[in-house]
Amino acid sequence: MIVILKQKIEQEKIIKLTEELEAQGVKVNPVIGTEISILGLVGDTSRIDPSKIEANTIVEKVMHVQEPFKKANRMFHPDDTIVDVNGAKIGGNKIAMIAGPCSVESEIQITEIAKDVKEIGANFLRGGAFKPRTSPYAFQGLKYDGLNLLKVAREKTGLPIVTEIMSPYDIEVFNENVDVIQVGARNMQNFDLLKELGKINKPILLKRGLSATLEELLMSAEYIMAGGNENVILCERGIRTFETYTRNTLDLSAIPALKKLSHLPVVVDPSHATGKYWMVAPLAKAAVAIGADGLIIEVHNDPAHALCDGPQSIKPSKYEKLFEELKVIANAVGREI
Amino acid sequence: MIVILKQKIEQEKIIKLTEELEAQGVKVNPVIGTEISILGLVGDTSRIDPSKIEANTIVEKVMHVQEPFKKANRMFHPDDTIVDVNGAKIGGNKIAMIAGPCSVESEIQITEIAKDVKEIGANFLRGGAFKPRTSPYAFQGLKYDGLNLLKVAREKTGLPIVTEIMSPYDIEVFNENVDVIQVGARNMQNFDLLKELGKINKPILLKRGLSATLEELLMSAEYIMAGGNENVILCERGIRTFETYTRNTLDLSAIPALKKLSHLPVVVDPSHATGKYWMVAPLAKAAVAIGADGLIIEVHNDPAHALCDGPQSIKPSKYEKLFEELKVIANAVGREI
Amino acid sequence: MIVILKQKIEQEKIIKLTEELEAQGVKVNPVIGTEISILGLVGDTSRIDPSKIEANTIVEKVMHVQEPFKKANRMFHPDDTIVDVNGAKIGGNKIAMIAGPCSVESEIQITEIAKDVKEIGANFLRGGAFKPRTSPYAFQGLKYDGLNLLKVAREKTGLPIVTEIMSPYDIEVFNENVDVIQVGARNMQNFDLLKELGKINKPILLKRGLSATLEELLMSAEYIMAGGNENVILCERGIRTFETYTRNTLDLSAIPALKKLSHLPVVVDPSHATGKYWMVAPLAKAAVAIGADGLIIEVHNDPAHALCDGPQSIKPSKYEKLFEELKVIANAVGREI
Amino acid sequence: MIVILKQKIEQEKIIKLTEELEAQGVKVNPVIGTEISILGLVGDTSRIDPSKIEANTIVEKVMHVQEPFKKANRMFHPDDTIVDVNGAKIGGNKIAMIAGPCSVESEIQITEIAKDVKEIGANFLRGGAFKPRTSPYAFQGLKYDGLNLLKVAREKTGLPIVTEIMSPYDIEVFNENVDVIQVGARNMQNFDLLKELGKINKPILLKRGLSATLEELLMSAEYIMAGGNENVILCERGIRTFETYTRNTLDLSAIPALKKLSHLPVVVDPSHATGKYWMVAPLAKAAVAIGADGLIIEVHNDPAHALCDGPQSIKPSKYEKLFEELKVIANAVGREI
């Protein structure tokens, strides 16, 4: 951590600040220049709150040079984490293929789609039971009935189920019934929910918030991991920018960046990123080429009558074609699907 | 709602879509052009999900021309809403002055600051007991002890208390002990929390999310209001942009915009917007000049040792000076403080 | 074009506006609802200025449903444009590989790099002679001497040269000496420069501005094409967002979007997008997978002593390895390099 | 300047880098930690290119702690600059009121508006002769005829004229005929134009680019000042963000920020920022309250038939009312209009 001091500060004030900082267990190395002076802090700075130092009247600003996350940090955990979901893996050489409808609508709908994507080769089933919708008047999901239908689909296909949680009230029922618990973009900094999820052992798929930096995403993962649950899967799903042609802007450079900063697996959701079905295939290919560890793709057997997100869903026939194309690209980058 | 059709669509497909739409209770007026054809939907379109129409293969895109919020909409409620907080008002001619520390730290700290800001003229006390922090290793607030200290400060000053809720688990205790419940920027789309807050009658101060559009902010207000709680106060606190000199970019044009779109009161938080204490005064003045109904300002008696957000806190003496300056500006725009 | 009217407008005012609009050569179809009324404009609306209609007091807002660009529009030119550069092609099945240093530094530097990338397989040489730098104190390029050195390198390798123009004063000398004229991101809306470039016949590589929408990029292409020069190549090079880990955010979804909206070839610059050499290879692979028609990559034989943009430059040996990997991905998507 | 080194770097490589840096005339102070090591550079670092250091393989990143601008920097020029425009001032206690139509349309239009705003109290006339338009098919301004009409209006009212330049070709004619030369947002980083403007002595009104940081705006001012022309006026006119309700987001916190970083005067353009006439008055009030040195407001006598930007223009009668309101606010903050 580096503390930039204001100009023309008296020596004794610098000494006082130095003592305060060293009392917190770090070593302070001063660099005194003619115009700018800095204090270099060396040691374990993770417990030091930079904003507290910045509030000091002799301080111009504080820059941290070390990432503030520990458990999620590749520096302290060089090997890739592979998350085990009842034997199925996310992370490692094989790319996880997660597919299914935006929301669970009926037994026939979810089991049909589950069978279709299973046959094509998907290894996880996604489907929303609790739906975060911008409007209170929009369809909010089948809730607990939806969870039960997902279980029926799992039983018929063997596919582990991935579904979104919206409230800490539901953690117990999710922990018992679901294979991967998804935290949606809007809840990425719902810290109370994250803390609760840190207390269980279930794999958590953590989506990046619409305006979250990579560091904030990793700090949210750190919340879960600091609680004791290290089974975290990161998910890039598009960020909010000025461009409105696509619903969000898929930040594919986040994949190599996250994999450099962290050992956690990173999956990509090309469906939510753009909101356009015809963009799913090209973005999915790019995601595999750039090194994603998995893909979450919305597949629906009747997009025009889907209860939500029809415009971004593709039909099973299209998913099948895409699946074959992705295999070739995976091979080209030394991975398999 | 306007449905833009793709080019060269057969007549019969347009008729089929028209019938499907009219079955949902709206009237469809077609405008058929040589290159572009559209369907104009007239009637109550608030229950129609545009993304469902957009998933139809003959549809290019859907534009909504009417705001999707009802209860928060000034169109259906032309008069300004004034929220009553045990007799103190937010909205109306008098500007609400909410002040206090980022977080409650001790009895002496919160009661001292409360007395100071009360004496200066503030009519609400703010102070965080539950703190949403990016890092799990940062101070998370005194929690229930903090709430109790806020109550002590209220007893000693008579100031109603405004504090942030982070979990639906705490609604009961907040409803009993707090005067205004704040929903932070990171929870603006924590829809489960919003729904629960719609079931009580307590005033809710709803902060705009870092990347939330004005329409999304109003839709989140709508969640609370649709549940039955119409005591909602909106709060602009800065949005995330590419500019990093300030922590966020305070979007002051949001104030006239929100007041045009909605009847709800709008307050401004200049402290969180920039993260810099020396910007609080100029931004507060601008907020009053532009028509804000209130100001939330962080005041701390020892910013350099504040447990959080010291760099953006101002001392009581500075708050007093600002208070006097704001009175003059309020007068200049026909308001009072 | 769709004109949304304000509420409760008198019939006669609507008739007056309708007449004004029809006098401009379009047909107006009214859709009158209980709460919202709209006018649908049918015909050639490209010469109608929506902001003029919006200034009318009875108009709420104007939405355009048709793209405002004509010559760049795929609707009127369904086949892909292939730009011919003295026999070398950009567009079509073969992916154009453009490589070279950020700036030309010396004869030995540019000729060595040109030979290296030529041998590896690149088919265009890039190199800046005129450099747009944020600081007036930074190296501004070798200017005309740089152009001469590029010509020497072209003579020795046969590679056509791509270099940036910054001033209309230089069009004549660029037209005579250069093979592809690059317009940088900062000049994407330097309309006077674009107009001048529309008068010559030289291929123009037009980079997307840091905060330009896809529509604005295509409108800038339209400026050049409207002047008579249809040899335009579009370039995605990253947009400015809130994320600061990478210098910009490469918007790869722009590639399928631009190829749907327009017939012009689209190339990608992964070097400028992130500013980090270790991200060039993964982003280049993703760009090929998603369908880019070419790649501009900064290659330098001594990045640590490059006069600019060293951190994003890769060495020839690394470019060679990447080149081989890209061939495999190109094959996987039915293209060749 | 601070150089963060990669982990576990051999001593000799650090020594080599230190020597290279000191050869460039700065002193290097090393801070060697267990996990992170840094080099603190002290002295005149303005000629050192951080990206060149960053390209070194032992360097993680470079942070600059001192602003890279010199002539625009308040640190080296503590007093406010007041720009003199033939006796009229921009900067200082009196707020400059610049008003007029988006574009010059006819002699009667520009002279009528000029008389109106002069009578109301404006001290500068604005009006576009050369118009930067997104579409090549939109009205591009009356060009040299427009300049002549501005001169007629100046003759009749005595108001100095402010108008935009788009090409270096026109500098001579602008220098002879115009009082303040405006550089539009789209040309803020048209460095060749800036360099040419540095060679004359005419006041330059430099608008912030749509996605320009404050530092970049000041670096563009530095381009002009480094050339010898220190008569630069900065202008905040809205930045591009995700919010689309307003055309841009007026960043009013930029005013106190720029005035802290620089001694140059700062004016605000509330008309272009939002594109909505009914927002001009509230934003103008906020701009005065926050400390702007001037306001550029679009005034048109017939907005509905204006040749451009009608939706954001206000009528003279409305400008008159606003003018009176602004006087009161100016007084409230110790300024005058």
Side-chain angles (χ1 to χ4, degrees):
Chain A
M1 197 173 282
I2 289 163
V3 179
I4 321 284
L5 302 177
K6 286 191 182 144
Q7 287 188 284
K8 294 166 195 147
I9 298 299
E10 297 139 53
Q11 187 63 14
E12 62 192 292
K13 285 187 178 166
I14 299 179
I15 291 169
K16 184 154 174 285
L17 177 60
T18 299
E19 286 168 359
E20 279 183 34
L21 291 170
E22 296 202 327
Q24 294 176 60
V26 292
K27 188 155 168 28
V28 176
N29 295 26
V31 180
I32 308 299
T34 47
E35 274 159 11
I36 296 282
S37 295
I38 66 168
L39 304 179
L41 272 52
V42 172
D44 180 12
T45 57
S46 74
R47 312 256 157 184
I48 292 187
D49 187 342
S51 80
K52 286 189 65 175
I53 305 175
E54 228 163 56
N56 194 300
T57 51
I58 70 165
V59 173
E60 182 65 39
K61 62 179 163 180
V62 177
M63 290 168 160
H64 70 85
V65 296
Q66 206 169 347
E67 289 88 11
F69 42 91
K70 294 276 167 194
K71 286 177 176 284
N73 200 326
R74 190 177 282 275
M75 196 185 280
F76 308 117
H77 186 313
D79 293 331
D80 284 350
T81 283
I82 298 178
V83 174
D84 186 303
V85 185
N86 310 327
K89 304 279 198 290
I90 301 181
N93 195 55
K94 197 173 157 68
I95 294 169
M97 294 296 285
I98 308 166
C102 175
S103 60
V104 181
E105 296 169 17
S106 68
E107 182 170 333
I108 193 161
Q109 177 244 22
I110 190 68
T111 53
E112 284 300 311
I113 297 175
K115 282 179 195 167
D116 284 349
V117 300
K118 159 86 178 185
E119 204 171 317
I120 291 164
N123 27 24
F124 294 86
L125 176 66
R126 61 146 290 151
F130 296 82
K131 299 298 306 170
R133 304 301 299 273
T134 306
S135 167
Y137 309 122
F139 173 61
Q140 308 274 321
L142 294 183
K143 300 180 180 175
Y144 301 105
D145 291 344
L147 286 188
N148 285 331
L149 297 181
L150 281 169
K151 287 168 71 178
V152 173
R154 174 173 60 192
E155 215 165 281
K156 295 207 173 165
T157 59
L159 292 177
I161 53 185
V162 182
T163 194
E164 180 167 352
I165 196 166
M166 287 178 62
S167 169
Y169 288 133
D170 294 326
I171 288 183
E172 208 171 320
V173 63
F174 269 66
N175 198 18
E176 260 170 46
N177 293 288
V178 157
D179 302 296
V180 177
I181 302 178
Q182 178 181 314
V183 175
R186 287 164 189 78
N187 280 317
M188 191 203 84
Q189 290 193 319
N190 181 343
F191 299 119
D192 270 44
L193 182 63
L194 300 180
K195 281 180 196 169
E196 300 285 334
L197 293 170
K199 296 176 188 162
I200 59 174
N201 224 346
K202 186 69 68 181
I204 309 296
L205 191 151
L206 178 66
K207 287 195 160 187
R208 181 181 185 184
L210 267 75
S211 63
T213 61
L214 297 181
E215 187 175 298
E216 287 170 342
L217 171 60
L218 289 166
M219 289 308 285
S220 285
E222 190 81 9
Y223 257 96
I224 301 169
M225 297 171 89
N229 184 355
E230 306 207 354
N231 297 306
V232 179
I233 304 142
L234 306 171
C235 179
E236 162 63 34
R237 45 78 73 215
I239 57 173
R240 187 159 271 183
T241 71
F242 65 83
E243 177 60 71
T244 56
Y245 185 82
T246 42
R247 188 163 56 186
N248 296 119
T249 299
L250 188 67
D251 177 14
L252 281 172
S253 39
I255 287 83
L258 288 170
K259 295 197 76 70
K260 187 178 197 215
L261 294 167
S262 176
H263 51 90
L264 297 173
V266 184
V267 303
V268 170
D269 177 346
S271 306
H272 281 87
T274 66
K276 294 181 192 294
Y277 69 88
W278 57 271
M279 278 203 175
V280 170
L283 286 174
K285 289 178 199 175
V288 168
I290 211 167
D293 296 311
L295 286 172
I296 312 181
I297 292 178
E298 290 198 359
V299 177
H300 197 287
N301 44 14
D302 185 8
H305 295 93
L307 289 181
C308 85
D309 279 351
Q312 74 200 32
S313 297
I314 60 175
K315 289 190 184 175
S317 56
K318 198 147 191 176
Y319 185 63
E320 186 167 13
K321 186 170 168 293
L322 173 60
F323 207 95
E324 295 310 311
E325 292 170 341
L326 292 175
K327 278 183 184 169
V328 186
I329 300 191
N331 284 344
V333 292
R335 304 284 286 267
E336 61 175 305
I337 288 185
Chain B
M1 197 172 280
I2 289 164
V3 179
I4 321 283
L5 301 178
K6 286 189 182 146
Q7 288 188 284
K8 292 169 195 145
I9 299 299
E10 298 140 51
Q11 187 61 15
E12 63 193 293
K13 285 186 177 165
I14 299 178
I15 291 170
K16 185 153 172 286
L17 177 60
T18 299
E19 286 169 358
E20 279 183 33
L21 291 169
E22 296 202 326
Q24 294 177 59
V26 292
K27 187 152 167 31
V28 177
N29 295 24
V31 180
I32 307 299
T34 46
E35 273 161 11
I36 296 283
S37 296
I38 66 168
L39 303 179
L41 271 53
V42 171
D44 180 11
T45 56
S46 73
R47 311 258 155 184
I48 292 188
D49 186 342
S51 80
K52 285 189 64 176
I53 304 176
E54 227 162 55
N56 193 299
T57 50
I58 71 167
V59 173
E60 182 65 38
K61 64 177 160 181
V62 176
M63 291 167 159
H64 70 85
V65 296
Q66 209 170 343
E67 289 88 10
F69 43 91
K70 295 276 166 194
K71 285 175 177 287
N73 200 325
R74 192 178 278 278
M75 194 185 282
F76 308 116
H77 187 311
D79 294 332
D80 282 352
T81 283
I82 297 177
V83 173
D84 186 305
V85 184
N86 309 328
K89 304 280 198 289
I90 301 182
N93 195 56
K94 198 172 156 67
I95 294 169
M97 294 296 285
I98 308 166
C102 176
S103 59
V104 181
E105 296 169 16
S106 68
E107 182 171 330
I108 192 160
Q109 175 245 22
I110 189 69
T111 54
E112 285 301 309
I113 297 175
K115 281 180 195 165
D116 284 349
V117 300
K118 159 89 178 185
E119 203 172 320
I120 292 165
N123 28 24
F124 293 85
L125 176 66
R126 63 146 289 149
F130 295 83
K131 301 297 307 169
R133 305 301 300 273
T134 306
S135 167
Y137 309 121
F139 173 60
Q140 309 274 320
L142 294 183
K143 300 183 181 173
Y144 301 106
D145 291 343
L147 285 188
N148 286 331
L149 297 180
L150 281 169
K151 285 168 72 177
V152 173
R154 175 173 60 192
E155 218 165 280
K156 297 207 171 164
T157 59
L159 291 178
I161 52 184
V162 182
T163 195
E164 179 167 353
I165 195 166
M166 286 179 62
S167 167
Y169 287 133
D170 294 326
I171 287 185
E172 211 172 319
V173 65
F174 270 66
N175 198 19
E176 259 170 46
N177 295 290
V178 158
D179 302 296
V180 176
I181 302 177
Q182 178 180 315
V183 176
R186 286 166 189 76
N187 279 317
M188 192 202 85
Q189 290 193 319
N190 181 343
F191 299 119
D192 269 44
L193 182 62
L194 300 180
K195 280 180 196 169
E196 300 285 335
L197 293 170
K199 295 177 187 160
I200 59 174
N201 223 347
K202 187 68 69 183
I204 308 297
L205 192 150
L206 178 65
K207 288 197 159 186
R208 182 181 184 183
L210 268 74
S211 64
T213 62
L214 298 180
E215 187 175 298
E216 287 169 343
L217 171 59
L218 289 167
M219 290 308 285
S220 285
E222 190 82 10
Y223 256 97
I224 301 169
M225 298 172 89
N229 184 354
E230 305 208 355
N231 298 306
V232 178
I233 303 143
L234 306 171
C235 179
E236 163 62 32
R237 44 80 73 218
I239 57 174
R240 188 158 270 183
T241 70
F242 64 84
E243 177 60 70
T244 55
Y245 185 82
T246 43
R247 188 164 53 185
N248 295 120
T249 300
L250 187 66
D251 178 13
L252 282 172
S253 41
I255 287 85
L258 287 170
K259 296 198 75 70
K260 189 180 196 214
L261 293 167
S262 177
H263 50 90
L264 296 172
V266 184
V267 303
V268 169
D269 177 345
S271 307
H272 281 87
T274 66
K276 293 181 193 294
Y277 69 88
W278 56 272
M279 279 205 175
V280 170
L283 286 175
K285 291 178 197 175
V288 168
I290 211 167
D293 296 311
L295 286 172
I296 313 181
I297 291 176
E298 290 198 357
V299 177
H300 198 286
N301 43 14
D302 185 8
H305 296 94
L307 289 181
C308 83
D309 279 352
Q312 73 201 32
S313 297
I314 59 175
K315 289 190 184 174
S317 57
K318 198 147 193 178
Y319 185 61
E320 186 167 13
K321 184 169 171 291
L322 173 60
F323 207 95
E324 295 311 309
E325 294 170 339
L326 292 175
K327 277 183 186 169
V328 186
I329 300 192
N331 285 343
V333 293
R335 304 283 287 268
E336 61 175 305
I337 286 184
Chain C
M1 197 174 279
I2 289 164
V3 178
I4 320 284
L5 301 178
K6 286 190 181 145
Q7 287 188 285
K8 293 167 196 143
I9 299 299
E10 297 141 51
Q11 188 61 16
E12 63 193 290
K13 284 187 178 167
I14 300 179
I15 290 169
K16 185 153 171 286
L17 177 60
T18 299
E19 286 169 358
E20 280 183 32
L21 291 169
E22 296 203 326
Q24 293 177 60
V26 293
K27 189 157 166 25
V28 177
N29 295 25
V31 180
I32 308 300
T34 46
E35 276 160 9
I36 296 282
S37 294
I38 65 168
L39 303 179
L41 272 51
V42 171
D44 179 10
T45 56
S46 74
R47 310 258 154 180
I48 292 186
D49 186 343
S51 79
K52 286 189 63 175
I53 305 176
E54 227 162 55
N56 194 299
T57 52
I58 71 167
V59 173
E60 183 66 38
K61 63 178 160 181
V62 176
M63 291 165 159
H64 71 86
V65 297
Q66 208 170 344
E67 289 88 9
F69 43 90
K70 295 277 166 191
K71 285 177 176 287
N73 200 324
R74 191 177 279 279
M75 195 185 281
F76 308 116
H77 186 312
D79 294 331
D80 283 351
T81 283
I82 298 178
V83 174
D84 186 304
V85 185
N86 309 330
K89 304 278 198 289
I90 301 181
N93 196 57
K94 196 171 159 69
I95 294 169
M97 294 298 282
I98 308 166
C102 176
S103 58
V104 180
E105 296 169 16
S106 67
E107 182 171 331
I108 193 162
Q109 175 243 25
I110 189 68
T111 54
E112 283 303 309
I113 298 175
K115 281 180 197 166
D116 284 350
V117 300
K118 158 88 179 188
E119 203 171 321
I120 292 164
N123 26 25
F124 295 86
L125 175 67
R126 64 145 290 150
F130 296 83
K131 299 297 306 170
R133 304 300 299 273
T134 305
S135 167
Y137 309 122
F139 173 60
Q140 309 273 322
L142 293 184
K143 301 183 182 173
Y144 302 105
D145 291 343
L147 286 188
N148 286 331
L149 298 181
L150 282 169
K151 285 168 73 178
V152 172
R154 176 174 58 192
E155 217 165 282
K156 296 206 173 164
T157 59
L159 291 178
I161 52 184
V162 182
T163 195
E164 180 168 353
I165 195 166
M166 287 179 63
S167 168
Y169 288 132
D170 294 325
I171 287 186
E172 210 171 318
V173 64
F174 270 67
N175 198 20
E176 260 169 47
N177 294 289
V178 157
D179 301 296
V180 176
I181 302 177
Q182 178 179 315
V183 176
R186 286 163 189 79
N187 279 317
M188 192 203 85
Q189 291 193 319
N190 181 344
F191 300 120
D192 270 44
L193 182 62
L194 301 180
K195 280 180 196 168
E196 300 285 335
L197 293 170
K199 295 176 188 161
I200 58 173
N201 223 346
K202 187 71 65 181
I204 309 297
L205 192 151
L206 178 65
K207 287 196 159 186
R208 182 182 185 183
L210 268 74
S211 64
T213 62
L214 298 181
E215 189 176 297
E216 287 170 342
L217 171 58
L218 289 167
M219 289 308 284
S220 285
E222 190 81 10
Y223 257 95
I224 301 169
M225 297 171 89
N229 183 354
E230 306 208 354
N231 297 307
V232 179
I233 303 143
L234 306 170
C235 178
E236 163 63 31
R237 45 79 73 219
I239 57 173
R240 186 159 271 184
T241 71
F242 64 84
E243 177 61 70
T244 56
Y245 185 81
T246 42
R247 186 164 56 185
N248 296 119
T249 299
L250 188 67
D251 178 14
L252 281 173
S253 39
I255 286 85
L258 287 171
K259 295 197 75 70
K260 189 181 196 214
L261 293 167
S262 177
H263 51 90
L264 296 172
V266 184
V267 304
V268 170
D269 177 346
S271 306
H272 281 87
T274 66
K276 292 180 193 294
Y277 70 89
W278 55 271
M279 279 205 173
V280 171
L283 286 175
K285 289 178 197 173
V288 168
I290 212 168
D293 296 311
L295 286 172
I296 311 182
I297 292 177
E298 290 198 356
V299 177
H300 198 287
N301 44 13
D302 185 8
H305 295 94
L307 289 181
C308 85
D309 280 352
Q312 73 201 31
S313 296
I314 59 175
K315 289 191 184 171
S317 56
K318 199 148 193 178
Y319 184 63
E320 185 168 14
K321 185 169 169 291
L322 173 60
F323 207 95
E324 295 310 309
E325 293 169 340
L326 291 175
K327 278 183 184 168
V328 186
I329 300 192
N331 284 343
V333 293
R335 303 284 287 266
E336 60 175 306
I337 287 183
Chain D
M1 196 173 280
I2 289 163
V3 178
I4 321 285
L5 301 178
K6 287 191 181 144
Q7 288 187 283
K8 292 166 198 148
I9 298 298
E10 298 140 52
Q11 188 62 14
E12 62 192 292
K13 285 187 178 168
I14 299 179
I15 291 169
K16 184 153 173 286
L17 177 60
T18 299
E19 287 169 356
E20 278 183 34
L21 292 169
E22 297 203 324
Q24 294 177 60
V26 293
K27 188 157 168 27
V28 177
N29 296 24
V31 181
I32 308 300
T34 46
E35 273 160 11
I36 296 283
S37 295
I38 65 169
L39 304 178
L41 271 51
V42 171
D44 179 12
T45 57
S46 74
R47 311 259 154 181
I48 292 187
D49 187 343
S51 78
K52 284 189 65 175
I53 305 175
E54 226 161 58
N56 194 301
T57 51
I58 71 167
V59 173
E60 182 66 37
K61 63 178 159 180
V62 177
M63 290 167 159
H64 70 86
V65 297
Q66 206 170 345
E67 289 88 9
F69 42 91
K70 294 275 167 193
K71 286 177 175 284
N73 200 326
R74 191 177 280 277
M75 195 185 281
F76 309 116
H77 186 311
D79 294 330
D80 283 350
T81 284
I82 299 179
V83 174
D84 186 304
V85 185
N86 309 328
K89 305 279 198 291
I90 302 181
N93 196 55
K94 198 171 156 68
I95 294 169
M97 295 295 284
I98 308 165
C102 176
S103 58
V104 181
E105 297 169 16
S106 67
E107 182 172 331
I108 193 161
Q109 176 245 21
I110 190 68
T111 54
E112 284 301 309
I113 297 175
K115 282 179 195 166
D116 284 350
V117 301
K118 159 88 177 185
E119 203 171 320
I120 291 163
N123 28 22
F124 294 86
L125 175 67
R126 63 145 290 150
F130 295 82
K131 302 296 307 168
R133 304 300 300 273
T134 307
S135 166
Y137 309 122
F139 173 61
Q140 308 274 321
L142 294 184
K143 303 182 178 174
Y144 301 106
D145 291 343
L147 285 188
N148 285 330
L149 297 179
L150 282 168
K151 285 169 71 178
V152 173
R154 175 174 59 191
E155 215 165 285
K156 295 204 174 168
T157 59
L159 291 177
I161 51 184
V162 182
T163 195
E164 180 167 353
I165 196 166
M166 287 177 64
S167 169
Y169 288 133
D170 294 326
I171 287 185
E172 209 172 320
V173 64
F174 270 66
N175 197 20
E176 261 170 46
N177 294 288
V178 157
D179 301 297
V180 177
I181 301 178
Q182 178 181 312
V183 175
R186 286 165 188 78
N187 279 317
M188 193 202 84
Q189 292 193 319
N190 181 342
F191 299 118
D192 269 45
L193 181 62
L194 301 179
K195 279 180 197 169
E196 301 284 335
L197 293 170
K199 295 177 189 162
I200 58 174
N201 224 347
K202 187 70 67 182
I204 308 297
L205 193 151
L206 178 65
K207 289 195 157 186
R208 181 180 185 185
L210 269 75
S211 63
T213 62
L214 298 180
E215 187 175 298
E216 286 169 342
L217 171 59
L218 289 166
M219 289 308 284
S220 286
E222 190 81 8
Y223 257 96
I224 300 168
M225 298 171 87
N229 183 355
E230 305 208 354
N231 298 305
V232 178
I233 303 143
L234 305 171
C235 178
E236 163 62 34
R237 45 78 72 218
I239 56 173
R240 188 158 269 182
T241 70
F242 64 82
E243 177 61 71
T244 56
Y245 185 81
T246 42
R247 188 165 52 186
N248 296 119
T249 299
L250 188 66
D251 178 12
L252 281 172
S253 39
I255 287 85
L258 287 171
K259 294 196 76 69
K260 188 178 197 218
L261 293 167
S262 177
H263 52 89
L264 297 172
V266 184
V267 303
V268 170
D269 177 346
S271 307
H272 281 87
T274 66
K276 292 180 194 292
Y277 69 90
W278 57 271
M279 280 205 172
V280 171
L283 287 175
K285 291 179 196 173
V288 168
I290 211 167
D293 296 310
L295 286 172
I296 312 181
I297 292 178
E298 289 198 357
V299 177
H300 198 285
N301 44 14
D302 185 8
H305 295 94
L307 289 181
C308 84
D309 278 351
Q312 74 200 32
S313 296
I314 60 175
K315 290 189 183 173
S317 56
K318 199 147 191 177
Y319 185 61
E320 187 168 13
K321 186 170 169 292
L322 173 60
F323 207 95
E324 295 310 310
E325 293 169 341
L326 292 175
K327 279 183 184 168
V328 186
I329 300 192
N331 284 343
V333 293
R335 304 284 286 267
E336 60 175 307
I337 285 183

